[in-house]
Amino acid sequence: MSESSTRILQVARHEYRAALRSRALTVLLVILVTATAVSVFVSATDYASQLAEYDAYRAAAQAQGLTRIAPSPLAVLSLLRGAFEYMEIIGAIIAITLGYLSVSRERTNRTLPLLRSRPLTGTELATGSFLGALGIFTTLIAATAAVGVVALGTIGHDWISPPQTLRLTLACVAALLYLSAFYCLGAIATAKVKVPANGLLIALGIWLLVVLILPQIGDTLDADNQLPGGLFQALGLNHDGEVAVLTHFTGYERVRTGIEEASLAKHFERFAFAMSDVKERYRPYGLPWLLNETRNDIGWLLAYATVLFLGLRRTLTRQQPIPTGGIS
Amino acid sequence: MITTIASQQSQLLRRQHVTLVGLATMLAVTAMAGILGWSSHHTIVRVFDEAVRLQAAAGQPAPANPFLLKPNLSLLSNMVVYIPLIGSLLALVVGHLALVEDQGQATGRLLFTRQVTRSQYVLGKILACTRFLAVTMAACALVSVAALVVVNRALSASDVGRLAGFYVLSWAYLTVFALVGMLTALLARRRSLALLSAMGVWLVITFVVPQFTSGLRPTQSLNPLTEPVGTSQAFFRATQRAQPLSIVEQYKTVSGTILGTAPNPTTGDTLLAIVPIVSAAILLTLLVLWKVQHHDYARSVTDE
């Protein structure tokens, strides 16, 4: 292993250990894990009763000698929807907090000049911090997924199959990219301003826009969402009628989709929902088709994470070793 | 003395540009709600015209006019989402800054060498924050009136009254979060921990509690039109009893009633739904008053 790699790994280990000691992060982690656990518990309990009903129906149909039995409409992975939604909202705040702490800790403790007095380049510092953060996120996502899968198996009485495990793993990788992008955002915003807490506020403002406001606008502009129960249903239009009417709204739909496309959260959501059978229209298809269908979302997730990591590297490389902020 | 401290705090908020940024953000959000409302109106008109044409071509009777299903003030239904999302975060930051600045710059120590009690100090801070929120809500109300006049072409006295009621309720709701920001600033020694703890409370109130009590998923809280969720499970039968304590749900329910976008319950039910919000504000005020008496202003807050 080269000397540079050793230094990067040392910074990564330092980042990982320091993050585990932070009380702010612990508070947010407890909120995320509790909310996710309850969400999966509630879904799994409901699923268990639906599964029992379906099994009873199948047994009765088989006893009567029926050859055509309706397939189960249930999708066990879709029960993780709440977990993905919490990851999208609370997970992003955790990532921003980690990015903020990573920069402000070195400034407040005045350890940045010490670190930079060693043969450690800005790129090595950025890469090491980033890898440490990825380690934290991997632990968090793996623990959340494990709790979810065990809850589905023990409470929902349905263990996921190997192909489903693969799809869940891909959704977890998407979550890793999503969180790493927000980590870089938090670190860049903190490093760029004089008072670290202001950097945190700026990053949270961007989070509000990207995670909550843009998807909300996209949802609100959906033509069918204009009335409770659906506008098309209120007008007595069936699916064909809806499609016929929407052909006159291509420009409008393009604007609405464009607003949603600007949100990183929406790309993560679309990919994770496609992988976990949340949307019914994706359920009949295999993994290659799903990956092809969501290639746009994969591309955006990769692009955001890469651009923000390059931004972090640039910011830390240019950062003065002498702290410019402190107690405020 | 309370008004002096309030004036000084208002001046500080102006100097830090919090007043300007906060006001501009909320006005932009209100204008956006108006634009979204207009877009919704326009979309419904166009979809209705297309549906009438389609049904006529198929020899079927024209569908009912959907505007009969849409109340006048539904144009502002997005505000019911934006106040708990953006407004409450702004209120958190204002409450947080009101107390944390004196701790960080150690001006708290200097201040208490003068003839000022801690209760007067904190009541002055609360007055400054609530005054700022009241001015912001009043400005938002004016923008909403303008949006309603532009889109609906008319505004009745009853609608103006409902609008005023909605913004008074929103002000009370935001006050709760300003007090949360203050309380966490007094409880945590680190500035970032205070801010993140306040955000943790906001996350729990806005997203987690509604899922526990009503089965609402986090993203459902972002949409002004929420489909009813099946809550027949034993879990929800137990947690639904705590629904009156879910202040975000109470806020949305009362707002829907005031704006006429939700089923009309009795006045007694509406007043009962406001009680948790008012109670939370009173309880938090008492906690802030109690906590400030014991706060050690000799130790300054750190930034990590």
Side-chain angles (χ1 to χ4, degrees), chain B:
Chain B
M1 187 52 80
I2 293 172
T3 49
T4 309
I5 290 169
S7 303
Q8 187 270 340
Q9 181 57 43
S10 300
Q11 211 171 25
L12 203 64
L13 287 174
R14 271 198 300 277
R15 267 194 218 140
Q16 290 169 327
H17 305 297
V18 175
T19 310
L20 184 69
V21 173
L23 196 62
T25 306
M26 287 313 293
L27 289 182
V29 160
T30 313
M32 192 165 74
I35 292 167
L36 288 174
W38 168 82
S39 165
S40 163
H41 181 98
H42 190 64
T43 307
I44 290 177
V45 170
R46 286 182 59 201
V47 171
F48 178 64
D49 289 346
E50 290 298 332
V52 168
R53 219 168 290 151
L54 205 70
Q55 306 280 54
Q60 290 169 348
N65 185 346
F67 281 106
L68 298 175
L69 306 168
K70 217 165 160 62
N72 284 348
L73 298 179
S74 64
L75 185 75
L76 300 175
S77 53
N78 274 298
M79 280 309 280
V80 180
V81 176
Y82 293 150
I83 294 283
L85 283 189
I86 304 165
S88 46
L89 272 180
L90 174 73
L92 271 186
V93 173
V94 169
H96 167 82
L97 288 175
L99 291 191
V100 90
E101 288 293 326
D102 283 342
Q103 297 174 53
Q105 293 165 1
T107 42
R109 248 188 304 179
L110 182 69
L111 194 72
F112 293 119
T113 61
R114 314 298 297 269
Q115 290 290 324
V116 54
T117 66
R118 293 198 173 203
S119 301
Q120 286 171 332
Y121 166 77
V122 89
L123 286 173
K125 295 284 184 182
I126 293 173
L127 180 63
C129 293
T130 49
R131 202 162 55 187
F132 165 71
L133 294 174
V135 170
T136 307
M137 288 297 100
C140 290
L142 289 178
V143 173
S144 297
V145 168
L148 285 164
V149 170
V150 168
V151 178
N152 292 348
R153 309 273 175 214
L155 192 65
S156 68
S158 146
D159 285 346
V160 173
R162 282 170 179 267
L163 206 59
F166 168 68
Y167 279 108
V168 169
L169 174 74
S170 301
W171 170 78
Y173 185 75
L174 296 187
T175 299
V176 171
F177 287 90
L179 290 163
V180 168
M182 287 182 166
L183 187 63
T184 51
L186 289 170
L187 287 170
R189 277 200 61 213
R190 287 176 178 168
R191 187 178 170 168
S192 63
L193 186 60
L195 186 59
L196 289 167
S197 307
M199 278 207 69
V201 174
W202 172 78
L203 281 172
V204 169
I205 291 175
T206 312
F207 296 107
V208 182
V209 175
Q211 169 144 39
F212 281 18
T213 55
S214 306
L216 283 175
R217 288 192 320 275
T219 52
Q220 281 178 303
S221 306
L222 304 180
N223 205 320
L225 295 176
T226 317
E227 295 295 332
V229 183
T231 51
S232 55
Q233 291 179 48
F235 178 83
F236 288 118
R237 281 200 295 276
T239 59
Q240 262 178 342
R241 289 182 195 151
Q243 205 176 40
L245 300 176
S246 172
I247 61 167
V248 70
E249 287 180 87
Q250 299 304 322
Y251 169 75
K252 285 182 179 175
T253 307
V254 179
S255 297
T257 309
I258 294 174
L259 295 176
T261 54
N264 230 343
T266 63
T267 314
D269 286 343
T270 308
L271 288 173
L272 212 62
I274 299 172
V275 169
I277 298 171
V278 177
S279 306
I282 293 170
L283 181 69
L284 283 163
T285 306
L286 293 174
L287 280 172
V288 169
L289 273 167
W290 172 73
K291 192 65 201 158
V292 80
Q293 309 296 333
H294 305 281
H295 192 70
D296 184 4
Y297 275 93
R299 294 163 79 185
S300 67
V301 71
T302 59
D303 194 26
E304 199 251 321

Side-chain angles (χ1 to χ4, degrees), chain A residues 84-123:
Chain A
F84 286 120
E85 289 188 5
Y86 279 121
M87 191 64 77
E88 186 181 327
I89 296 172
I90 305 178
I93 293 186
I94 291 176
I96 287 174
T97 307
L98 194 59
Y100 158 78
L101 289 173
S102 162
V103 175
S104 71
R105 186 193 316 118
E106 308 302 348
R107 274 200 196 174
T108 314
N109 297 341
R110 298 179 184 273
T111 43
L112 190 63
L114 182 71
L115 274 172
R116 297 300 293 273
S117 70
R118 311 303 297 269
L120 180 75
T121 64
T123 304

Side-chain angles (χ1 to χ4, degrees), chain A residues 244-316:
Chain A
V245 168
L246 282 177
T247 53
H248 300 275
F249 284 82
T250 46
Y252 178 85
E253 279 295 309
R254 207 174 296 132
V255 171
R256 191 178 79 79
T257 314
I259 292 171
E260 286 191 345
E261 293 272 315
S263 167
L264 173 65
K266 207 69 191 172
H267 291 296
F268 165 63
E269 187 183 292
R270 283 180 188 162
F271 182 78
F273 284 5
M275 289 297 124
S276 54
D277 292 332
V278 171
K279 298 285 175 190
E280 276 182 40
R281 66 174 185 273
Y282 289 136
R283 288 180 190 171
Y285 301 103
L287 184 60
W289 187 91
L290 288 173
L291 288 175
N292 185 45
E293 190 68 12
T294 53
R295 62 187 185 282
N296 189 29
D297 301 309
I298 299 169
W300 277 109
L301 278 168
L302 283 169
Y304 269 109
T306 310
V307 168
L308 282 164
F309 171 69
L310 292 175
L312 175 68
R313 200 181 69 169
R314 187 185 155 98
T315 308
L316 292 188

Side-chain angles (χ1 to χ4, degrees), chain A residues 47 75-77 149 152-153 158-169 275 277:
Chain A
Y47 180 84
V76 68
L77 275 184
V149 169
L152 296 183
D158 202 355
W159 290 93
I160 61 172
S161 63
Q164 286 173 326
T165 309
L166 177 62
R167 278 193 283 140
L168 180 61
T169 309
M275 289 297 124
D277 292 332

